[in-house]
């Protein structure tokens, strides 16, 4: 897996509204995201 050239974050929450809110500020700062709805899903990301 290559190291991303921009900041990258994994966001995990089972509430879609929380996931959307979690992206607002960091996304504007240039972060890229991968989202997962469960811990199990996050482990396989």
């Amino acid at each position: 897996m290559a190291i991303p050239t921009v900041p990258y974050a994994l966001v995990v929450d089972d509430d879609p509204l929380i996931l959307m809110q979690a992206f607002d500020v960091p996304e504007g700062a240039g972060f890229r995201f991968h989202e997962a709805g469960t811990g199990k899903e996050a482990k396989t990301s």
Side-chain angles (χ1 to χ4, degrees):
M1 179 179 195
I3 297 173
T5 58
V6 296
Y8 193 84
L10 171 63
V11 179
V12 182
D13 199 290
D14 61 351
D15 185 332
L17 293 176
I18 299 295
L19 283 174
M20 287 188 328
Q21 291 177 344
F23 297 145
D24 287 347
V25 174
E27 194 169 47
F31 277 76
R32 290 183 6 192
F33 291 93
H34 181 77
E35 63 183 69
T38 66
K40 184 175 183 178
E41 187 180 325
K43 287 176 64 175
T44 61
S45 300

